[in-house]
């Protein structure tokens, strides 16, 4: 067809200009019949491979393509390959993985019997995931630090339920959907090797971990916990190194500090807390390391929450308020309880959950607040702190590590207390003192009537 100008009469004889008549339709027709153009720097056989590629040859083909093009193109392709590497490797070895999975079925009963022993299975999992072949899958200190910055820092001195929730949230933050998918495929890639060497229990564990990691997006599991623990330990080691470096900068002998007993450490802390220069240096250190400040705050909150557990110990009963001092409050408790409307119409019936809650909120808690405010003056609190320090040192000398930690939490909590009626340790102490007095009176009545 002769090429017409846009403003010339159309070849159809309509009398209209070509641009307003058949120009668009002619161009569409030409585009539809044009042969595809192949770039000169792409070999023809590669194009043929793309049209008839076997899925198992895809990884090899993509590696060939990554060697083509400019430096910028190769860099971008390398980044893409790094992101899709686990998937490509999985596709390349899919046949071996499926064969290993089929072989494992012969050992299902053996594995299920082994997994039923929870303690033994947990120890076995820890040993398996400690093997060097899983090192590339472990979380790093920076992974854990970023997670704590996002979900909050856990208390490390007195682990409790809040600590466990924070650690779980950190694991789930790191193990997002994309990372779970990669970890799952990396686990399955080890499957054929473990089966080939007869390690069927280990292979079953890998297969279960891979499925749990990929499918349970909102749950942690033993594999993720072990991968997290490596990053957590590495982060803790980094923090210890920073702490020791800071102490040395201030002129402290770290080894001497480690050898101090608890009373010596108390005296050391008090003497340096009153030094303005060291206090300023400490503030600057926390300013430069906000994660350590956040962890310190979390530790203070955790020891405050846990300190009341100390009062559950039988050997801590000497801390209770004496019966003579409790008796007036016990009389007041009985009066308020009778007037509250919480009394059951059948005296011998056990209180319902709702009535027990009302008794606590309307009678017991307000009374304990009043009792704590009245009894625990500042001098009384200082005497209690002295008793706790003595008790803490005795338990530490006896080789008990847990009880001194609880006592230290109570001491720290009480030393900065200016509102006894809001202090959970003192409220628990008042309640246990009341409970002890009630039991003593009940026993006395029983002996008199018996």
């Amino acid at each position: 067809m002769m090429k017409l100008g846009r403003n010339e009469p159309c070849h159809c004889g309509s009398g209209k200009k070509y641009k307003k008549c058949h120009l668009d339709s002619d161009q569409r027709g030409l585009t539809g019949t044009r042969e595809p153009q192949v770039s000169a720097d792409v070999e023809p056989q590669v194009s043929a491979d793309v049209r008839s590629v076997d899925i198992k040859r895809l990884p090899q083909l993509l590696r060939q393509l990554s060697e083509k093009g400019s430096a910028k193109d190769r860099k971008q392709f390398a980044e893409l390959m790094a992101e899709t590497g686990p998937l490509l490797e999985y596709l390349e070895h899919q046949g071996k993985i499926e064969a290993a999975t089929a072989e494992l079925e012969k050992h299902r009963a053996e594995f299920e019997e082994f997994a039923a022993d929870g303690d033994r299975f947990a120890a076995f999992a820890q040993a398996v995931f400690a093997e060097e072949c899983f090192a590339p899958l472990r979380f790093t200190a920076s992974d854990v630090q970023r997670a704590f910055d996002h979900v909050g820092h856990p208390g490390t001195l007195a682990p409790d339920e809040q600590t466990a929730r924070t650690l779980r949230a950190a694991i789930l933050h790191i193990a997002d959907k994309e990372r779970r998918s990669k970890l799952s495929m990396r686990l399955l890639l080890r499957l054929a090797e473990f089966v080939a060497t007869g390690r069927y229990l280990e292979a079953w564990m890998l297969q279960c971990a891979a499925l749990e990691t990929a499918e349970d997006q909102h749950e942690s599991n033993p594999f993720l916990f072990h991968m997290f623990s490596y990053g957590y330990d590495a982060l803790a080691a980094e923090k210890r190194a920073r702490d020791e470096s800071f102490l040395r900068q201030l002129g402290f002998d770290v080894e001497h500090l480690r050898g101090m007993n608890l009373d010596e450490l108390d005296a050391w802390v008090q003497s340096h807390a009153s030094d303005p220069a060291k206090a300023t240096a400490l503030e600057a250190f926390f300013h430069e390391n906000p994660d350590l400040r956040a962890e310190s705050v979390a530790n203070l909150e955790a020891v405050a929450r846990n300190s009341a557990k100390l009062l559950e110990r039988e050997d801590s009963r000497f801390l209770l308020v004496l019966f003579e001092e409790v008796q007036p409050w016990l009389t007041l408790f009985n009066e308020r309880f009778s007037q509250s409307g919480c009394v059951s119409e059948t005296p011998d019936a056990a209180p319902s959950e709702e009535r027990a809650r009302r008794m606590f909120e309307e009678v017991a808690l307000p009374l304990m607040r009043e009792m704590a405010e009245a009894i625990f003056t500042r001098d009384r609190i200082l005497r209690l702190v002295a008793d706790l320090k003595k008790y803490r040192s005795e338990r530490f000398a006896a080789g008990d590590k847990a009880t001194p930690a609880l006592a230290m939490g109570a001491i720290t909590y009480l030393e900065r207390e200016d509102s006894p009626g809001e202090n959970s340790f003192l409220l628990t102490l008042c309640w246990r003192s009341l409970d002890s007095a009630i039991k003593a009176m009940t026993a006395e009545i029983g002996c008199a009537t018996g």
Side-chain angles (χ1 to χ4, degrees):
M1 182 181 297
M2 180 178 65
K3 184 175 181 180
L4 295 176
R6 291 169 56 83
N7 293 314
E8 293 182 28
C10 184
H11 57 72
C12 71
S14 64
K16 297 180 181 179
K17 291 183 179 181
Y18 182 44
K19 66 181 180 181
K20 293 186 177 181
C21 193
H22 276 80
L23 174 61
D24 290 341
S25 61
D26 287 349
Q27 287 182 336
R28 285 195 296 272
L30 288 172
T31 302
T33 58
R34 188 175 293 131
E35 289 294 324
Q37 299 297 311
V38 179
S39 175
D41 62 351
V42 178
E43 298 174 4
Q45 61 266 31
V46 173
S47 296
D49 283 342
V50 171
R51 288 193 295 270
S52 60
V53 64
D54 181 347
I55 190 67
K56 294 179 181 178
R57 293 191 56 219
L58 182 59
Q60 179 184 0
L61 177 60
L62 289 175
R63 293 188 189 101
Q64 291 176 359
L65 289 173
S66 69
E67 300 172 359
K68 306 292 182 181
S70 66
K72 181 180 179 181
D73 291 339
R74 290 197 300 273
K75 180 177 182 295
Q76 291 177 341
F77 208 102
E79 292 173 353
L80 177 62
M81 288 289 289
E83 286 295 314
T84 58
L87 175 60
L88 297 177
E89 194 173 355
Y90 176 84
L91 292 173
E92 196 170 6
H93 297 86
Q94 188 173 5
K96 293 181 180 179
I97 295 170
E98 291 172 351
T101 300
E103 178 66 21
L104 275 182
E105 281 300 315
K106 301 175 184 177
H107 306 274
R108 175 186 287 273
E110 179 187 1
F111 175 74
E112 290 178 347
E113 181 182 355
F114 179 73
D117 186 341
D119 292 339
R120 185 182 173 202
F121 185 78
F124 184 68
Q126 184 174 1
V128 171
F129 293 131
E131 295 182 21
E132 194 58 28
C133 63
F134 298 106
L137 310 187
R138 295 168 186 165
F139 300 166
T140 65
S142 57
D143 288 333
V144 176
Q145 182 63 67
R146 284 194 298 271
F148 286 160
D149 290 342
H150 182 78
V151 305
H153 291 257
T156 55
L157 294 181
D160 58 3
E161 291 183 4
Q162 178 60 42
T163 301
R165 285 194 292 270
T166 302
L167 292 175
R168 177 181 178 275
I171 293 173
L172 295 180
H173 180 76
I174 298 172
D176 58 15
K177 183 177 181 179
E178 181 180 351
R179 189 155 190 172
R180 280 175 176 267
S181 177
K182 291 179 181 178
L183 288 171
S184 178
M185 285 185 282
R186 289 295 188 198
L187 286 170
L188 292 175
L189 284 168
R190 312 294 316 185
L191 207 60
E193 173 189 339
F194 277 68
V195 170
T197 55
R199 301 181 66 185
Y200 301 115
L201 292 179
E202 292 91 334
W204 259 109
M205 182 177 292
L206 263 61
Q207 182 172 252
C208 291
L211 292 175
E212 289 175 347
T213 300
E215 294 177 0
D216 298 336
Q217 297 289 328
H218 303 292
E219 293 296 333
S220 180
N221 59 55
F223 165 70
L224 292 176
F225 174 80
H226 288 304
M227 297 301 101
F228 176 84
S229 67
Y230 284 95
Y232 182 87
D233 290 344
L235 181 62
E238 290 180 5
K239 289 180 177 179
R240 282 195 300 272
R242 271 187 290 173
D243 290 346
E244 293 181 4
S245 175
F246 171 67
L247 290 172
R248 290 191 178 96
Q249 289 173 26
L250 295 180
F252 299 136
D253 184 342
V254 176
E255 294 303 322
H256 178 63
L257 285 174
R258 290 197 184 105
M260 288 183 178
N261 61 37
L262 296 178
D263 293 331
E264 289 172 337
L265 280 172
D266 281 344
W268 179 85
V269 170
Q270 290 175 7
S271 66
H272 289 88
S274 59
D275 186 330
K278 289 184 172 60
T280 301
L282 181 62
E283 183 60 33
F285 176 73
F286 277 133
H287 180 73
E288 294 171 3
N289 299 275
D291 57 309
L292 294 183
R293 181 191 291 276
E295 183 178 340
S296 298
V297 171
N299 275 325
L300 286 174
E301 293 174 348
V303 295
R305 287 194 303 268
N306 291 333
S307 60
K309 293 180 181 178
L310 180 71
L311 300 173
E312 297 174 5
R313 294 179 56 89
E314 187 66 26
D315 59 7
S316 71
R317 290 183 60 81
F318 74 96
L319 297 170
L320 300 182
V321 180
L322 295 176
F323 178 81
E324 294 77 12
E325 202 170 3
V326 171
Q327 195 168 16
W329 296 97
L330 184 57
T331 302
L332 186 57
F333 175 77
N334 287 331
E335 292 175 358
R336 292 187 180 178
F337 177 66
S338 299
Q339 298 167 2
S340 67
C342 296
V343 182
S344 173
E345 295 180 359
T346 53
D348 294 333
S352 65
E353 184 176 338
E354 174 61 22
R355 190 159 62 87
R357 183 188 63 78
R358 283 185 56 207
M359 286 170 56
F360 178 79
E361 292 180 353
E362 298 177 11
V363 181
L365 184 57
L367 182 76
M368 286 187 292
R369 293 192 193 283
E370 293 176 32
M371 184 176 172
E373 290 286 352
I375 293 176
F376 290 102
T377 62
R378 189 59 193 164
D379 288 343
R380 182 69 172 269
I381 288 176
L382 293 177
R383 292 204 304 273
L384 178 58
V385 167
D387 289 339
L388 283 165
K389 286 183 177 179
K390 181 181 178 182
Y391 174 57
R392 177 197 61 179
S393 297
E394 290 171 352
R395 296 310 309 158
F396 186 78
D400 182 353
K401 304 297 185 188
T403 306
L406 294 174
M408 191 67 237
I411 292 166
T412 304
Y413 194 12
L414 291 171
E415 283 183 331
R416 55 190 177 89
E417 187 55 73
D418 56 4
S419 180
E422 301 298 326
N423 187 295
S424 59
F425 181 83
L426 293 178
L427 293 178
T428 304
L429 182 57
C430 289
W431 176 251
R432 290 197 173 273
S433 299
L434 282 169
D435 182 60
S436 178
I438 292 171
K439 289 177 180 177
M441 290 179 64
T442 303
E444 185 178 339
I445 293 172
C447 289
T449 57

